[in-house]
Amino acid sequence: MVAVSACGATADKGEGSGGGDGKPVTGLRLMVPNTPGSGYDLTARTVTQVMQDTDVASGVQVFNLPGASGTVGLQRLVNEKGNGKMAMQMGLGVVGASYTSKSEATLTDTTPIAKLIEEAGAIVVPKNSPYKTMDDLVTAWKENPKKLAVGGGSTAGGPDHLLPMQLAKAVGIKPKDVNFVSYDGGGELLPAILGNKIAFGASGFGEFLDQIEAGQVRVLAVTSEKPIDALKDAPTLKDQGIDLVFTNWRGIVAPPGITAEQKKTWIDSLTKMHDSDEWKAQLEKNGWVDSFVTGDEFGTYLAEQDKAVADILAELGLA
């Protein structure tokens, strides 16, 4: 689902037209750096749909460029220097992958636009799994950690990797003993869960909502502080005696070298989108926590996250 369109050397470097006169902004493109069906993909398509439904923007193009847990897309974005029409959906996973994948392009090279949401993780199993509760799973996991494979939609350093490692530590399993299987986004993780290729999955719960509602997978726990409205019957880890809270976040960055006006076009468009009733409905539907900040404030947060992840991965010998 990679769109065939101009890039790098040939792309128009101007900002999307419209917006300043109250008309919808046009010509914007949002890249998703992993597969269709992933959490980034869901977020990007929801954002652009709301932008269009509320006449903030018209004809926003979303395209997927998967690879290396988001760093293929990151390199593409950095190569688009000065292109004010393009931005990239990203989050904590890309922060870690930029180190573990030894990416030449880094998030410090990009232009921070907005932090959008936070989302709790979920521990899920296929419908025919023998594990009915977290206690069932943890008991079997502790007996033979290397036998029970856990899958996540990110590589080492990404949220789906950090979650099971922290969960293992919380229940008394050495993280180095965890049999972690990496998938490139939720679009690849889900078939592995449904096909019983792994014992359980750890990822943002929004990636499984349709399958949860269809009864194809079961949620053993969510990783938020409190129960989630979208999954009223799913207990938290803390409800089940496991002292762990874990949330992921997602945001949008643009290429380096864009003008202040181009940056403002993106921030203004996303701010109008964020303030709409339609976006509030999507937050509730997907169980997302609103954590909207823009521009320099997001840049400061991004720099803090970058340092924290780099330090953790250095301690693990992964960066």
Side-chain angles (χ1 to χ4, degrees):
M1 291 185 65
V2 177
V4 179
S5 57
C7 63
T10 59
D12 179 3
K13 304 303 182 185
E15 65 186 275
S17 62
D21 55 3
K23 295 180 180 179
V25 176
T26 60
L28 300 182
R29 304 176 69 220
L30 186 57
M31 173 170 51
V32 178
N34 52 21
T35 56
S38 66
Y40 289 166
D41 188 69
L42 173 63
T43 307
R45 294 181 188 280
T46 302
V47 165
T48 55
Q49 187 62 55
V50 173
M51 289 173 74
Q52 294 175 144
D53 288 348
T54 56
D55 292 327
V56 170
S58 176
V60 184
Q61 181 187 19
V62 178
F63 68 101
N64 298 77
L65 186 61
S69 297
T71 56
V72 170
L74 177 60
Q75 184 65 65
R76 164 70 182 277
L77 188 78
V78 171
N79 289 347
E80 292 277 347
K81 183 176 181 179
N83 185 354
K85 291 186 177 182
M86 181 180 287
M88 183 179 78
Q89 181 70 63
M90 50 75 70
L92 179 59
V94 179
V95 178
S98 68
Y99 288 99
T100 56
S101 299
K102 312 298 182 185
S103 172
E104 291 185 8
T106 69
L107 285 163
T108 56
D109 296 326
T110 68
T111 301
I113 299 297
K115 176 173 174 254
L116 299 170
I117 59 169
E118 292 181 353
E119 180 187 41
I123 306 301
V124 301
V125 295
K127 63 180 181 180
N128 58 349
S129 170
Y131 312 118
K132 307 299 183 184
T133 66
M134 280 301 300
D135 187 58
D136 293 342
L137 176 61
V138 169
T139 298
W141 200 18
K142 293 176 74 170
E143 287 178 359
N144 194 340
K146 294 183 179 180
K147 181 179 179 181
L148 267 68
V150 51
S154 62
T155 55
D160 291 5
H161 172 254
L162 294 173
L163 170 53
M165 297 303 159
Q166 292 188 18
L167 177 60
K169 190 173 182 179
V171 300
I173 297 171
K174 294 179 180 179
K176 68 178 183 180
D177 291 337
V178 174
N179 179 8
F180 179 74
V181 182
S182 174
Y183 296 90
D184 195 0
E188 292 186 5
L189 173 61
L190 183 60
I193 296 170
L194 297 177
N196 293 287
K197 294 181 179 179
I198 53 179
F200 66 102
S203 190
F205 76 87
E207 307 202 23
F208 309 118
L209 277 177
D210 290 344
Q211 288 71 32
I212 294 167
E213 292 174 358
Q216 295 176 309
V217 300
R218 287 187 285 110
V219 181
L220 299 187
V222 291
T223 66
S224 50
E225 180 75 36
K226 299 178 180 179
I228 294 168
D229 289 341
L231 295 173
K232 289 181 170 53
D233 296 329
T236 67
L237 289 173
K238 296 187 79 172
D239 286 339
Q240 300 176 85
I242 299 172
D243 188 17
L244 177 64
V245 173
F246 182 94
T247 57
N248 188 14
W249 59 269
R250 295 180 190 139
I252 290 175
V253 294
I258 66 173
T259 68
E261 192 62 30
Q262 291 167 340
K263 180 178 178 180
K264 185 176 184 296
T265 294
W266 275 105
I267 290 176
D268 287 353
S269 298
L270 289 169
T271 300
K272 292 175 183 176
M273 183 280 304
H274 166 265
D275 292 344
S276 70
D277 290 338
E278 288 84 349
W279 178 246
K280 292 178 176 64
Q282 289 297 329
L283 291 175
E284 182 175 354
K285 173 185 175 182
N286 292 292
W288 292 335
V289 176
D290 186 7
S291 60
F292 191 71
V293 294
T294 63
D296 292 344
E297 188 175 355
F298 177 43
T300 298
Y301 177 84
L302 189 55
E304 292 170 349
Q305 289 283 295
D306 187 77
K307 184 180 186 304
V309 170
D311 289 347
I312 291 172
L313 293 177
E315 290 177 11
L316 295 173
L318 295 174

